[in-house]
């Protein structure tokens, strides 16, 4: 089959690789109809996370079930499905509680040996383990493109806004208006927020924030803390969603939240550290919640319903649609930030 594979640091290429086969009784093989390039794919390309040359990249996909193992009960050949970006076992203590991102056997598609050694989804076909857990049926009313991100960033946005318990008339600040920030804004609106502010530095992202329903705040031009204070009689935001994952963004989040407010950190962290004066957080009675990776399986039914209702809509986010064979160009566009989201069509 055709697939996008890691070549050397800084380079991906198209390759003909072996077709995936059913390896475990719970597996399904999905013929991919749409797949996308994600920021975390770039970590592998840039050598920030290890992956072997020749390994298939990608974890965002929709498609049609083409084969199922004997243990697959909920899906049949021909079903239109979205694939979960994180592959959970569905049976361990954490999975049974819906905390699938903490699964004892947590794996990722296309994420190298440390991701569980599964091949990725930027290909004509992908093997999905524990298919009953890691696939979601797409309603007939929803096309492939609108369903694609339900397996990853769209549902992450809904998860973030829900963790923050966004309620009616809340003033919400979303720091970082990339894909997760975009969907966090839409989700905050869907959950009934009074007003949402989208804070970023890049004009293209601020434009997307506005399309998603936020008041864009260009942090170069206006101090976010002032913008939020002006909108709330000096109090600050009821809810802040930090969707960047940098110490600066974290400090900005803690700066714009009101006393007694709630901060959800969905931006990804690894080795960074910040100095925290605990007494300040304590005296301000803040709620601080680290989202971790989205347990997509616990939230994607709700996310799909929001897509069906039109309240979550990924269409404005997609800047490029390319044939799979043009993936190298797609990676270039995405890496140079000339694309907000690249969809590949096998
Ligand atoms: Zn992703
Ligand atoms: Zn599990």
């Amino acid at each position: 089959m055709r697939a996008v594979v890691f070549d050397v640091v800084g380079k991906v290429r198209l390759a003909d690789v072996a077709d995936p086969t059913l390896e475990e009784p719970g597996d399904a093989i999905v013929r991919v109809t749409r797949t996308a390039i994600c920021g975390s794919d770039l970590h592998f390309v840039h050598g920030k996370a290890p992956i072997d040359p020749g390994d298939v990249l990608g974890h965002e996909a929709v498609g049609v079930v083409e084969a199922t193992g004997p243990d697959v009960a909920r899906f049949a050949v021909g079903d239109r499905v979205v694939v979960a970006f994180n592959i959970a076992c569905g049976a361990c203590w954490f999975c049974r509680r819906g905390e699938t991102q903490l699964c004892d056997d947590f794996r990722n598609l296309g994420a190298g040996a440390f991701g569980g050694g599964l091949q990725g989804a930027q290909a004509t076909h992908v093997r999905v383990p524990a298919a009953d857990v890691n696939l979601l049926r797409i309603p007939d009313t929803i096309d492939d493109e609108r369903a694609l991100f339900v397996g990853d960033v769209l549902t992450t946005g809904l998860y973030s806004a829900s963790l923050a318990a966004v309620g009616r008339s809340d003033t919400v600040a979303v720091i970082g208006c990339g894909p997760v920030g975009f969907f966090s804004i839409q989700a905050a609106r869907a959950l009934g927020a009074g007003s949402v502010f989208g804070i970023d530095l890049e004009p293209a992202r601020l434009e997307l924030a506005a399309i998603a329903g936020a008041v864009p705040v260009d942090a170069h031009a206006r101090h976010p803390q002032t913008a939020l204070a002006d909108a709330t009689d000096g109090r600050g935001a009821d809810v802040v969603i930090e969707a960047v994952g940098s110490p600066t963004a974290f400090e900005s989040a803690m700066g714009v939240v009101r006393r007694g407010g709630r901060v959800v950190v969905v931006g990804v962290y690894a080795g960074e550290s910040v100095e925290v004066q605990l007494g300040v957080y304590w005296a301000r009675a803040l709620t601080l919640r680290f989202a971790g990776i989205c347990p997509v399986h616990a939230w994607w039914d709700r996310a799909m319903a929001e897509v069906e209702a039109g309240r979550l809509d990924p269409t404005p986010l997609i800047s490029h649609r390319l044939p799979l064979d043009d993936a190298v160009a797609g990676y270039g566009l995405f890496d140079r930030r000339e694309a907000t989201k690249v969809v590949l069509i096998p």
Side-chain angles (χ1 to χ4, degrees):
M1 66 167 181
R2 282 303 260 178
V4 182
V5 302
F6 176 74
D7 189 6
V8 291
V9 171
K11 203 162 166 262
V12 300
R13 63 183 167 85
L14 267 294
D16 291 305
V17 301
D19 288 341
T21 53
L22 298 170
E23 294 176 22
E24 296 164 16
D27 285 357
I29 305 297
V30 173
R31 177 172 59 79
V32 177
T33 53
R34 292 286 187 281
T35 174
I37 303 171
C38 175
S40 47
D41 298 328
L42 292 179
H43 290 313
F44 296 103
V45 179
H46 294 155
K48 287 182 191 159
I51 192 163
D52 288 334
D55 274 358
V56 181
L57 290 161
H59 55 268
E60 301 180 351
V62 289
V64 178
V65 174
E66 210 167 79
T68 56
D71 284 1
V72 177
R74 298 181 55 223
F75 296 94
V77 172
D79 284 347
R80 289 175 67 231
V81 290
V82 56
V83 178
F85 76 112
N86 48 4
I87 299 297
C89 79
C92 73
W93 188 86
F94 289 100
C95 281
R96 289 198 310 271
R97 288 167 57 89
E99 295 174 296
T100 52
Q101 86 278 40
L102 306 174
C103 174
D104 286 340
D105 188 25
F106 184 82
R107 291 183 283 177
N108 274 115
L109 294 173
F114 290 136
L118 299 171
Q119 294 299 308
Q122 287 164 7
T124 55
H125 292 80
V126 62
R127 175 175 84 91
V128 181
D132 279 347
V133 178
N134 295 302
L135 294 178
L136 179 71
R137 196 170 279 101
I138 303 172
D140 292 340
T141 50
I142 299 178
D143 60 31
D144 286 351
E145 217 166 65
R146 285 193 304 139
L148 176 54
F149 303 114
V150 171
D152 187 351
V153 281
L154 183 148
T155 301
T156 301
L158 178 62
Y159 168 63
S160 312
S162 302
L163 281 186
V166 171
R168 301 240 162 248
S169 79
D170 274 346
T171 299
V172 179
V174 176
I175 316 250
C177 304
V180 171
F182 175 84
F183 289 119
S184 297
I185 292 168
Q186 283 192 345
R189 304 279 307 172
L191 295 173
S195 52
V196 184
F197 292 78
I199 299 159
D200 208 294
L201 298 163
E202 284 186 33
R205 291 185 169 207
L206 288 165
E207 233 169 83
L208 279 172
I211 291 167
V215 178
V217 177
D218 178 352
H220 276 315
R222 191 155 188 236
H223 199 289
Q225 209 168 330
T226 315
L228 267 299
D230 286 353
T232 55
D233 289 331
R235 288 189 306 274
D238 301 301
V239 167
V240 183
I241 297 169
E242 196 271 80
V244 179
S246 79
T248 316
F250 179 78
E251 274 157 15
S252 180
M254 302 319 279
V256 301
V257 69
R258 69 163 168 84
R259 297 193 300 280
R262 310 184 289 285
V263 176
V264 168
V265 178
V266 67
V268 180
Y269 284 91
E272 304 86 345
S273 55
V274 290
E275 207 159 290
V276 168
Q277 202 179 335
L278 293 170
V280 173
Y281 288 11
W282 186 84
R284 294 178 70 201
L286 298 179
T287 301
L288 174 58
R289 170 70 198 253
F290 288 93
I293 294 169
C294 172
V296 74
H297 317 80
W299 291 87
W300 61 359
D301 284 322
R302 277 170 273 189
M304 194 68 92
E306 291 293 335
V307 171
E308 200 162 24
R311 288 187 289 263
L312 294 182
D313 178 13
T315 317
L317 198 59
I318 302 166
S319 57
H320 296 76
R321 296 167 179 85
L322 302 171
L324 184 71
D325 275 331
D326 291 345
V328 174
Y331 267 84
L333 288 164
F334 192 62
D335 202 5
R336 293 190 302 272
R337 294 188 164 219
E338 289 164 23
T340 49
K341 204 73 188 167
V342 179
V343 170
L344 300 172
I345 308 166

